[in-house]
Amino acid sequence: MASKVIFKKTSKDKSVGVYMAKRDFVDRVDSVEPVDGVILISPEILQGKKVFVTLSCVFRYGRDDQDVLGIAFRREIYMNTRQVYPPLQDKEQGILTKKQAKMLRKLGENAYPFFFEFPDNLPCSVGLQPGPRDVGKVCAVEFEVKAFSAECQDAKVRKRNTVRLAIRKVQYAPETGGAAPSVVTDHEFVLSDRPLHVEASLGKETYYHGEDINVDVNIKNHSNKIVKNVVVSVEQVSNVVLYCNDSYMETVAIEDSGHSVAPGEGLKRTYILVPLLAHNRQRRGIALDGKLKHEDTNLASTSIIKEGVLKEVMGILVSYKVVVKLIIGGMMGTSEVGVELPFRLMHPKPEIVKESEEEDMVFEDFKRSNNKGMMDDDEDDNMSGGEGSEAE
């Protein structure tokens, strides 16, 4: 019989436990998968306290424990809190999926369902890779499910009464792509009667992480200048749009060919580039998809925004382009001629696995490796439903 892993985490005082069937929730641009799970409570330990669960989206920049001129490095983009226990509605009305129903049957009468619907204007999970010496620093959009017990929603909450789980909001490549990018240009030079003709194209608009990107380049040098080198690269552009309008452009793959084209000659080549995080692990400022485990992380996927949504609330926007750069020799030194090909870098949409009634459940502790500079599930952030929390 097949087994389905259910991720679980319990508060230190054993009063509250959270059970979730998955950690990644898909943004389809026009809709987002709801966040659902089950809360298991211990009435004896709660001693009359209520239990709440919160879904939050946070933009973090720097360190949470630092505050400069009254400006915190943490901003909540979204937060929604609901009371789970005592239940405010019939338990059956709170069941959203078959997985929840199976978990409730397996966990017993002290288990209660919860679910949240994402607004359609939230960013996806993404962060900028810190440098080797940037311990504890992070610039990232992160999502979290937090369950806690308290007398009321706004009461002070101890860390030992709280469970915090990092989740991710992700996007997959659309099923239909646009036209394959291509560009044609003629560059004129002073004291040259004829131009330098450059053509560049890609095979398609969307590439998957780890896939070869074939860049077709066709150069016809009708000018009297020498093309001393052809450099082809993949550039990642990250726009931090929430608190400012900073833009970071990082080279994530490059082919420095050394090819030259003399006046009156031509060059027709296909250059192969593979942008991978494995080749950029020590590069500060590279945008990554949100981290849950180190092996799950890759270069950030291209951001796709629903039409009409304000870009200013999207946190970090990521895009990619291939740049073909020609180094031109001359009497006064070298110059450059370049063309750009925007494209998408994403994950393919996974196959939908049909839920089986016979599928057994295996409960696995929900842990995340303590990656430098990224949020950890046990990290002590604001531990309150409201203000003035107390942490142990």
Side-chain angles (χ1 to χ4, degrees), residues 199-235:
E199 300 177 12
S201 63
L202 303 179
K204 55 186 178 179
E205 181 193 37
T206 302
Y207 289 86
Y208 300 146
H209 290 285
E211 185 179 3
D212 289 352
I213 299 176
N214 294 337
V215 186
D216 295 322
V217 177
N218 186 10
I219 301 170
K220 297 176 182 178
N221 190 4
H222 303 301
S223 74
N224 58 10
K225 302 291 184 180
I226 299 175
V227 177
K228 300 182 69 174
N229 194 8
V230 179
V231 181
V232 185
S233 62
V234 173
E235 306 292 331

mmCIF file of all heavy atoms in Angstrom, residues 199-235:
data_model
loop_
_atom_site.group_PDB
_atom_site.id
_atom_site.type_symbol
_atom_site.label_atom_id
_atom_site.label_comp_id
_atom_site.label_asym_id
_atom_site.label_seq_id
_atom_site.Cartn_x
_atom_site.Cartn_y
_atom_site.Cartn_z
ATOM 1 N N GLU A 199 22.269 38.907 -35.631
ATOM 2 C CA GLU A 199 21.006 38.205 -35.358
ATOM 3 C C GLU A 199 21.216 37.266 -34.171
ATOM 4 O O GLU A 199 22.265 36.625 -34.060
ATOM 5 C CB GLU A 199 20.560 37.386 -36.573
ATOM 6 C CG GLU A 199 20.317 38.183 -37.838
ATOM 7 C CD GLU A 199 19.962 37.281 -39.010
ATOM 8 O OE1 GLU A 199 19.690 36.081 -38.772
ATOM 9 O OE2 GLU A 199 19.960 37.777 -40.157
ATOM 10 N N ALA A 200 20.209 37.195 -33.297
ATOM 11 C CA ALA A 200 20.267 36.259 -32.163
ATOM 12 C C ALA A 200 18.864 35.757 -31.879
ATOM 13 O O ALA A 200 17.885 36.508 -32.020
ATOM 14 C CB ALA A 200 20.862 36.930 -30.926
ATOM 15 N N SER A 201 18.755 34.501 -31.477
ATOM 16 C CA SER A 201 17.430 33.932 -31.202
ATOM 17 C C SER A 201 17.532 32.765 -30.239
ATOM 18 O O SER A 201 18.594 32.133 -30.094
ATOM 19 C CB SER A 201 16.765 33.470 -32.508
ATOM 20 O OG SER A 201 17.525 32.439 -33.113
ATOM 21 N N LEU A 202 16.417 32.485 -29.570
ATOM 22 C CA LEU A 202 16.265 31.313 -28.702
ATOM 23 C C LEU A 202 15.241 30.373 -29.323
ATOM 24 O O LEU A 202 14.411 30.784 -30.135
ATOM 25 C CB LEU A 202 15.806 31.730 -27.303
ATOM 26 C CG LEU A 202 16.681 32.731 -26.546
ATOM 27 C CD1 LEU A 202 16.057 33.042 -25.181
ATOM 28 C CD2 LEU A 202 18.090 32.201 -26.378
ATOM 29 N N GLY A 203 15.271 29.122 -28.889
ATOM 30 C CA GLY A 203 14.352 28.136 -29.444
ATOM 31 C C GLY A 203 12.930 28.259 -28.921
ATOM 32 O O GLY A 203 11.983 27.799 -29.563
ATOM 33 N N LYS A 204 12.759 28.882 -27.743
ATOM 34 C CA LYS A 204 11.438 29.015 -27.149
ATOM 35 C C LYS A 204 11.466 30.098 -26.082
ATOM 36 O O LYS A 204 12.532 30.620 -25.734
ATOM 37 C CB LYS A 204 10.978 27.686 -26.553
ATOM 38 C CG LYS A 204 11.963 27.085 -25.552
ATOM 39 C CD LYS A 204 11.520 25.709 -25.099
ATOM 40 C CE LYS A 204 12.528 25.082 -24.135
ATOM 41 N NZ LYS A 204 12.096 23.746 -23.666
ATOM 42 N N GLU A 205 10.296 30.447 -25.546
ATOM 43 C CA GLU A 205 10.218 31.520 -24.557
ATOM 44 C C GLU A 205 10.520 31.031 -23.144
ATOM 45 O O GLU A 205 11.130 31.747 -22.342
ATOM 46 C CB GLU A 205 8.824 32.155 -24.570
ATOM 47 C CG GLU A 205 8.669 33.298 -23.580
ATOM 48 C CD GLU A 205 7.225 33.713 -23.374
ATOM 49 O OE1 GLU A 205 6.339 32.831 -23.370
ATOM 50 O OE2 GLU A 205 6.985 34.926 -23.195
ATOM 51 N N THR A 206 10.124 29.802 -22.805
ATOM 52 C CA THR A 206 10.233 29.284 -21.441
ATOM 53 C C THR A 206 11.186 28.097 -21.381
ATOM 54 O O THR A 206 11.042 27.137 -22.151
ATOM 55 C CB THR A 206 8.850 28.865 -20.903
ATOM 56 O OG1 THR A 206 7.963 29.991 -20.936
ATOM 57 C CG2 THR A 206 8.962 28.355 -19.475
ATOM 58 N N TYR A 207 12.140 28.182 -20.458
ATOM 59 C CA TYR A 207 13.067 27.079 -20.200
ATOM 60 C C TYR A 207 12.893 26.616 -18.760
ATOM 61 O O TYR A 207 12.578 27.413 -17.874
ATOM 62 C CB TYR A 207 14.510 27.525 -20.443
ATOM 63 C CG TYR A 207 14.834 27.737 -21.905
ATOM 64 C CD1 TYR A 207 14.567 28.952 -22.513
ATOM 65 C CD2 TYR A 207 15.393 26.716 -22.660
ATOM 66 C CE1 TYR A 207 14.843 29.153 -23.861
ATOM 67 C CE2 TYR A 207 15.682 26.903 -24.016
ATOM 68 C CZ TYR A 207 15.403 28.123 -24.602
ATOM 69 O OH TYR A 207 15.679 28.311 -25.925
ATOM 70 N N TYR A 208 13.127 25.320 -18.540
ATOM 71 C CA TYR A 208 13.032 24.762 -17.197
ATOM 72 C C TYR A 208 14.397 24.836 -16.507
ATOM 73 O O TYR A 208 15.444 24.825 -17.167
ATOM 74 C CB TYR A 208 12.553 23.304 -17.247
ATOM 75 C CG TYR A 208 11.187 23.144 -17.874
ATOM 76 C CD1 TYR A 208 10.872 22.020 -18.635
ATOM 77 C CD2 TYR A 208 10.188 24.116 -17.710
ATOM 78 C CE1 TYR A 208 9.619 21.853 -19.212
ATOM 79 C CE2 TYR A 208 8.937 23.962 -18.280
ATOM 80 C CZ TYR A 208 8.664 22.832 -19.032
ATOM 81 O OH TYR A 208 7.422 22.686 -19.599
ATOM 82 N N HIS A 209 14.370 24.891 -15.183
ATOM 83 C CA HIS A 209 15.611 24.894 -14.405
ATOM 84 C C HIS A 209 16.442 23.654 -14.759
ATOM 85 O O HIS A 209 15.942 22.529 -14.754
ATOM 86 C CB HIS A 209 15.295 24.895 -12.907
ATOM 87 C CG HIS A 209 14.710 26.177 -12.422
ATOM 88 N ND1 HIS A 209 15.459 27.325 -12.230
ATOM 89 C CD2 HIS A 209 13.439 26.517 -12.097
ATOM 90 C CE1 HIS A 209 14.689 28.296 -11.798
ATOM 91 N NE2 HIS A 209 13.455 27.841 -11.709
ATOM 92 N N GLY A 210 17.723 23.875 -15.084
ATOM 93 C CA GLY A 210 18.612 22.778 -15.442
ATOM 94 C C GLY A 210 18.633 22.438 -16.915
ATOM 95 O O GLY A 210 19.438 21.602 -17.353
ATOM 96 N N GLU A 211 17.782 23.075 -17.705
ATOM 97 C CA GLU A 211 17.706 22.787 -19.136
ATOM 98 C C GLU A 211 18.734 23.627 -19.908
ATOM 99 O O GLU A 211 18.986 24.786 -19.575
ATOM 100 C CB GLU A 211 16.296 23.094 -19.636
ATOM 101 C CG GLU A 211 16.044 22.724 -21.079
ATOM 102 C CD GLU A 211 14.617 23.021 -21.510
ATOM 103 O OE1 GLU A 211 13.839 23.571 -20.700
ATOM 104 O OE2 GLU A 211 14.277 22.696 -22.664
ATOM 105 N N ASP A 212 19.309 23.026 -20.956
ATOM 106 C CA ASP A 212 20.225 23.770 -21.822
ATOM 107 C C ASP A 212 19.478 24.887 -22.537
ATOM 108 O O ASP A 212 18.357 24.682 -23.041
ATOM 109 C CB ASP A 212 20.856 22.847 -22.868
ATOM 110 C CG ASP A 212 21.854 21.880 -22.267
ATOM 111 O OD1 ASP A 212 22.163 22.016 -21.070
ATOM 112 O OD2 ASP A 212 22.325 20.986 -23.004
ATOM 113 N N ILE A 213 20.106 26.065 -22.604
ATOM 114 C CA ILE A 213 19.561 27.183 -23.374
ATOM 115 C C ILE A 213 20.448 27.367 -24.596
ATOM 116 O O ILE A 213 21.616 27.754 -24.485
ATOM 117 C CB ILE A 213 19.523 28.473 -22.536
ATOM 118 C CG1 ILE A 213 18.628 28.275 -21.303
ATOM 119 C CG2 ILE A 213 19.026 29.649 -23.373
ATOM 120 C CD1 ILE A 213 18.616 29.474 -20.363
ATOM 121 N N ASN A 214 19.923 27.046 -25.768
ATOM 122 C CA ASN A 214 20.663 27.179 -27.014
ATOM 123 C C ASN A 214 20.442 28.578 -27.590
ATOM 124 O O ASN A 214 19.304 28.956 -27.889
ATOM 125 C CB ASN A 214 20.218 26.125 -28.027
ATOM 126 C CG ASN A 214 20.572 24.710 -27.584
ATOM 127 O OD1 ASN A 214 21.479 24.517 -26.774
ATOM 128 N ND2 ASN A 214 19.856 23.734 -28.092
ATOM 129 N N VAL A 215 21.524 29.316 -27.740
ATOM 130 C CA VAL A 215 21.456 30.683 -28.259
ATOM 131 C C VAL A 215 22.077 30.695 -29.653
ATOM 132 O O VAL A 215 23.285 30.483 -29.813
ATOM 133 C CB VAL A 215 22.207 31.671 -27.339
ATOM 134 C CG1 VAL A 215 21.997 33.099 -27.821
ATOM 135 C CG2 VAL A 215 21.758 31.514 -25.886
ATOM 136 N N ASP A 216 21.255 30.904 -30.668
ATOM 137 C CA ASP A 216 21.737 30.954 -32.052
ATOM 138 C C ASP A 216 22.174 32.380 -32.378
ATOM 139 O O ASP A 216 21.391 33.328 -32.254
ATOM 140 C CB ASP A 216 20.641 30.512 -33.018
ATOM 141 C CG ASP A 216 20.263 29.045 -32.836
ATOM 142 O OD1 ASP A 216 21.174 28.235 -32.586
ATOM 143 O OD2 ASP A 216 19.060 28.727 -32.913
ATOM 144 N N VAL A 217 23.428 32.521 -32.809
ATOM 145 C CA VAL A 217 23.996 33.830 -33.121
ATOM 146 C C VAL A 217 24.509 33.819 -34.559
ATOM 147 O O VAL A 217 25.223 32.888 -34.968
ATOM 148 C CB VAL A 217 25.148 34.191 -32.153
ATOM 149 C CG1 VAL A 217 25.766 35.533 -32.536
ATOM 150 C CG2 VAL A 217 24.636 34.233 -30.716
ATOM 151 N N ASN A 218 24.129 34.842 -35.301
ATOM 152 C CA ASN A 218 24.566 34.984 -36.684
ATOM 153 C C ASN A 218 25.120 36.403 -36.881
ATOM 154 O O ASN A 218 24.379 37.385 -36.723
ATOM 155 C CB ASN A 218 23.406 34.729 -37.648
ATOM 156 C CG ASN A 218 23.836 34.712 -39.105
ATOM 157 O OD1 ASN A 218 25.044 34.716 -39.405
ATOM 158 N ND2 ASN A 218 22.872 34.701 -40.015
ATOM 159 N N ILE A 219 26.409 36.507 -37.164
ATOM 160 C CA ILE A 219 27.066 37.810 -37.316
ATOM 161 C C ILE A 219 27.582 37.946 -38.748
ATOM 162 O O ILE A 219 28.263 37.043 -39.266
ATOM 163 C CB ILE A 219 28.251 37.945 -36.330
ATOM 164 C CG1 ILE A 219 27.760 37.783 -34.875
ATOM 165 C CG2 ILE A 219 28.947 39.297 -36.500
ATOM 166 C CD1 ILE A 219 28.893 37.659 -33.871
ATOM 167 N N LYS A 220 27.240 39.059 -39.375
ATOM 168 C CA LYS A 220 27.781 39.393 -40.699
ATOM 169 C C LYS A 220 28.463 40.746 -40.580
ATOM 170 O O LYS A 220 27.798 41.777 -40.428
ATOM 171 C CB LYS A 220 26.665 39.425 -41.735
ATOM 172 C CG LYS A 220 25.979 38.077 -41.942
ATOM 173 C CD LYS A 220 24.825 38.177 -42.910
ATOM 174 C CE LYS A 220 24.132 36.818 -43.063
ATOM 175 N NZ LYS A 220 22.964 36.899 -43.981
ATOM 176 N N ASN A 221 29.764 40.737 -40.632
ATOM 177 C CA ASN A 221 30.540 41.949 -40.400
ATOM 178 C C ASN A 221 30.831 42.658 -41.724
ATOM 179 O O ASN A 221 31.854 42.417 -42.387
ATOM 180 C CB ASN A 221 31.842 41.613 -39.672
ATOM 181 C CG ASN A 221 32.558 42.865 -39.203
ATOM 182 O OD1 ASN A 221 32.059 43.972 -39.346
ATOM 183 N ND2 ASN A 221 33.749 42.694 -38.642
ATOM 184 N N HIS A 222 29.914 43.527 -42.119
ATOM 185 C CA HIS A 222 30.101 44.296 -43.340
ATOM 186 C C HIS A 222 30.934 45.562 -43.088
ATOM 187 O O HIS A 222 31.271 46.274 -44.046
ATOM 188 C CB HIS A 222 28.736 44.715 -43.916
ATOM 189 C CG HIS A 222 27.820 43.565 -44.183
ATOM 190 N ND1 HIS A 222 28.147 42.535 -45.036
ATOM 191 C CD2 HIS A 222 26.569 43.269 -43.705
ATOM 192 C CE1 HIS A 222 27.150 41.658 -45.085
ATOM 193 N NE2 HIS A 222 26.180 42.082 -44.281
ATOM 194 N N SER A 223 31.218 45.843 -41.810
ATOM 195 C CA SER A 223 31.930 47.076 -41.467
ATOM 196 C C SER A 223 33.436 46.893 -41.625
ATOM 197 O O SER A 223 33.923 45.812 -41.987
ATOM 198 C CB SER A 223 31.610 47.470 -40.015
ATOM 199 O OG SER A 223 32.285 46.602 -39.108
ATOM 200 N N ASN A 224 34.171 47.978 -41.336
ATOM 201 C CA ASN A 224 35.631 47.879 -41.366
ATOM 202 C C ASN A 224 36.214 47.681 -39.970
ATOM 203 O O ASN A 224 37.409 47.857 -39.762
ATOM 204 C CB ASN A 224 36.235 49.127 -42.016
ATOM 205 C CG ASN A 224 35.831 50.412 -41.289
ATOM 206 O OD1 ASN A 224 35.261 50.366 -40.195
ATOM 207 N ND2 ASN A 224 36.130 51.556 -41.897
ATOM 208 N N LYS A 225 35.347 47.321 -38.998
ATOM 209 C CA LYS A 225 35.784 47.068 -37.625
ATOM 210 C C LYS A 225 36.015 45.574 -37.396
ATOM 211 O O LYS A 225 35.420 44.727 -38.074
ATOM 212 C CB LYS A 225 34.737 47.563 -36.623
ATOM 213 C CG LYS A 225 34.403 49.052 -36.744
ATOM 214 C CD LYS A 225 35.564 49.919 -36.302
ATOM 215 C CE LYS A 225 35.198 51.399 -36.336
ATOM 216 N NZ LYS A 225 36.314 52.264 -35.901
ATOM 217 N N ILE A 226 36.853 45.260 -36.410
ATOM 218 C CA ILE A 226 37.100 43.864 -36.041
ATOM 219 C C ILE A 226 36.283 43.503 -34.798
ATOM 220 O O ILE A 226 36.334 44.213 -33.795
ATOM 221 C CB ILE A 226 38.594 43.621 -35.750
ATOM 222 C CG1 ILE A 226 39.443 43.913 -36.990
ATOM 223 C CG2 ILE A 226 38.825 42.180 -35.293
ATOM 224 C CD1 ILE A 226 40.943 43.801 -36.733
ATOM 225 N N VAL A 227 35.519 42.422 -34.891
ATOM 226 C CA VAL A 227 34.864 41.864 -33.699
ATOM 227 C C VAL A 227 35.896 40.980 -33.008
ATOM 228 O O VAL A 227 36.261 39.908 -33.510
ATOM 229 C CB VAL A 227 33.604 41.057 -34.068
ATOM 230 C CG1 VAL A 227 32.989 40.437 -32.812
ATOM 231 C CG2 VAL A 227 32.594 41.934 -34.785
ATOM 232 N N LYS A 228 36.401 41.442 -31.852
ATOM 233 C CA LYS A 228 37.509 40.740 -31.188
ATOM 234 C C LYS A 228 37.033 39.575 -30.315
ATOM 235 O O LYS A 228 37.801 38.655 -30.043
ATOM 236 C CB LYS A 228 38.299 41.737 -30.337
ATOM 237 C CG LYS A 228 38.893 42.888 -31.144
ATOM 238 C CD LYS A 228 39.702 43.823 -30.285
ATOM 239 C CE LYS A 228 40.982 43.167 -29.804
ATOM 240 N NZ LYS A 228 41.855 44.115 -29.073
ATOM 241 N N ASN A 229 35.768 39.632 -29.870
ATOM 242 C CA ASN A 229 35.278 38.565 -28.988
ATOM 243 C C ASN A 229 33.755 38.573 -28.988
ATOM 244 O O ASN A 229 33.120 39.624 -29.196
ATOM 245 C CB ASN A 229 35.803 38.761 -27.564
ATOM 246 C CG ASN A 229 35.627 37.519 -26.692
ATOM 247 O OD1 ASN A 229 35.241 36.461 -27.183
ATOM 248 N ND2 ASN A 229 35.903 37.642 -25.408
ATOM 249 N N VAL A 230 33.180 37.400 -28.751
ATOM 250 C CA VAL A 230 31.730 37.249 -28.599
ATOM 251 C C VAL A 230 31.473 36.636 -27.222
ATOM 252 O O VAL A 230 31.949 35.532 -26.932
ATOM 253 C CB VAL A 230 31.124 36.354 -29.698
ATOM 254 C CG1 VAL A 230 29.620 36.196 -29.477
ATOM 255 C CG2 VAL A 230 31.411 36.929 -31.076
ATOM 256 N N VAL A 231 30.726 37.366 -26.387
ATOM 257 C CA VAL A 231 30.414 36.911 -25.031
ATOM 258 C C VAL A 231 28.899 36.750 -24.916
ATOM 259 O O VAL A 231 28.147 37.698 -25.172
ATOM 260 C CB VAL A 231 30.921 37.892 -23.960
ATOM 261 C CG1 VAL A 231 30.591 37.366 -22.560
ATOM 262 C CG2 VAL A 231 32.415 38.134 -24.110
ATOM 263 N N VAL A 232 28.446 35.559 -24.543
ATOM 264 C CA VAL A 232 27.010 35.273 -24.398
ATOM 265 C C VAL A 232 26.758 34.921 -22.937
ATOM 266 O O VAL A 232 27.464 34.088 -22.357
ATOM 267 C CB VAL A 232 26.572 34.114 -25.314
ATOM 268 C CG1 VAL A 232 25.067 33.914 -25.227
ATOM 269 C CG2 VAL A 232 26.987 34.384 -26.749
ATOM 270 N N SER A 233 25.758 35.552 -22.331
ATOM 271 C CA SER A 233 25.500 35.330 -20.898
ATOM 272 C C SER A 233 24.011 35.299 -20.606
ATOM 273 O O SER A 233 23.189 35.802 -21.386
ATOM 274 C CB SER A 233 26.162 36.434 -20.057
ATOM 275 O OG SER A 233 25.606 37.707 -20.372
ATOM 276 N N VAL A 234 23.679 34.692 -19.470
ATOM 277 C CA VAL A 234 22.325 34.758 -18.909
ATOM 278 C C VAL A 234 22.373 35.697 -17.717
ATOM 279 O O VAL A 234 23.161 35.481 -16.786
ATOM 280 C CB VAL A 234 21.816 33.368 -18.478
ATOM 281 C CG1 VAL A 234 20.478 33.504 -17.743
ATOM 282 C CG2 VAL A 234 21.667 32.458 -19.687
ATOM 283 N N GLU A 235 21.553 36.733 -17.758
ATOM 284 C CA GLU A 235 21.506 37.725 -16.690
ATOM 285 C C GLU A 235 20.205 37.581 -15.904
ATOM 286 O O GLU A 235 19.131 37.496 -16.492
ATOM 287 C CB GLU A 235 21.610 39.146 -17.257
ATOM 288 C CG GLU A 235 22.815 39.386 -18.152
ATOM 289 C CD GLU A 235 24.119 39.355 -17.386
ATOM 290 O OE1 GLU A 235 24.101 39.690 -16.172
ATOM 291 O OE2 GLU A 235 25.159 39.012 -17.988
#
